[in-house]
Amino acid sequence: MSDDSGTRVLVVDDQRLVREGVASLLALEDGITVVGSAADGREAVALAVRLKPDVVLMDVRMPASDGVEATAAVRRQAPDCRVVMLTTFDDEEYVVRALRAGANGYLLKDLPATELARAVKMAHAGVDQFDPAVTARLLAAADRSGEQPAPSPGGLTAREVDVLRWLARGATNREIAAALVVSEGTVKNHVSHILGRLNLRDRTQAALYARDRGLA
């Protein structure tokens, strides 16, 4: 690769507005060239192999192949690429899975454009990049490394079960966010996924579901 191009970046996100927004912001930064974008994990892997970017900014939840699966595939098939997760989810479970897949960092989407650009350049330089909230999740995971997780209903993650418990208590997104020490946006995403995964219409049905299964 030519040094003249600076840091070559592939942006991966299933939401077109987010994908194009991140690409446009990075394109304005000196020393960064956005070489492509992908809407799902499979496309991300194919483009990473073909375009050989320095850094892949990878969303976590996507159709076809999620970000964790895609990260593992990119690290196998294009090992020179550095993969940094860029997502709204700061849950311990996602962080640990991403790192096990070979991710070189984990950032949240609410960071300023200048900080994202700096993080991309640092990742290219070989420095792993982590949001402070993510670092806290890693420390929590380390403290509980010997624990065995209990089976989750409906294929939900452990954190989604936590959210479901709070829904059963009638808690608002703000109250759940404060209790679980995550952002309201993260809680909103979890609620949406819970309803979709369990085929429930609304929060009231989710609360009834949780109570029927002794999660309240």
Side-chain angles (χ1 to χ4, degrees):
M1 297 177 199
S2 171
D3 292 338
D4 294 338
S5 64
T7 300
R8 295 160 46 84
V9 181
L10 173 66
V11 179
V12 185
D13 198 292
D14 64 324
Q15 296 185 30
R16 181 176 180 179
L17 186 62
V18 173
R19 186 170 69 247
E20 293 182 350
V22 170
S24 296
L25 288 172
L26 289 178
L28 296 174
E29 298 290 334
D30 291 337
I32 293 179
T33 299
V34 178
V35 297
S37 63
D40 60 53
R42 290 178 185 171
E43 186 181 8
V45 176
L47 287 179
V49 171
R50 178 163 63 87
L51 299 175
K52 295 180 172 58
D54 301 306
V55 177
V56 179
L57 285 178
M58 184 82 73
D59 192 16
V60 171
R61 277 190 180 165
M62 295 180 293
S65 174
D66 71 17
V68 173
E69 294 170 346
T71 294
V74 169
R75 298 296 292 149
R76 287 194 306 269
Q77 300 179 42
D80 290 337
C81 294
R82 307 271 296 172
V83 181
V84 176
M85 314 308 290
L86 182 64
T87 178
T88 58
F89 295 97
D90 58 356
D91 287 0
E92 171 189 313
E93 184 168 346
Y94 285 117
V95 176
V96 172
R97 285 182 60 219
L99 293 181
R100 285 175 177 167
N104 304 109
Y106 201 108
L107 301 173
L108 302 182
K109 288 179 179 176
D110 59 355
L111 82 170
T114 53
E115 290 186 20
L116 177 59
R118 178 180 178 276
V120 165
K121 292 176 182 177
M122 293 294 288
H124 182 201
V127 180
D128 289 355
Q129 298 295 300
F130 295 95
D131 187 278
V134 171
T135 301
R137 298 285 176 269
L138 291 174
L139 293 174
D143 288 341
R144 296 194 298 273
S145 59
E147 297 181 4
Q148 295 297 319
S152 298
L156 301 179
T157 67
R159 180 46 59 91
E160 286 165 349
V161 173
D162 290 338
V163 171
L164 187 57
R165 290 180 188 276
W166 282 100
L167 289 178
R169 301 169 192 170
T172 65
N173 285 358
R174 178 173 295 182
E175 291 167 340
I176 297 172
L180 300 181
V181 197
V182 297
S183 69
E184 286 188 58
T186 294
V187 173
K188 183 178 179 181
N189 286 330
H190 281 318
V191 172
S192 177
H193 189 252
I194 289 168
L195 297 180
R197 179 62 64 87
L198 300 180
N199 196 28
L200 302 173
R201 185 177 63 252
D202 51 32
R203 297 167 71 99
T204 300
Q205 282 196 347
L208 292 173
Y209 177 97
R211 291 169 186 166
D212 288 345
R213 286 156 182 78
L215 297 176

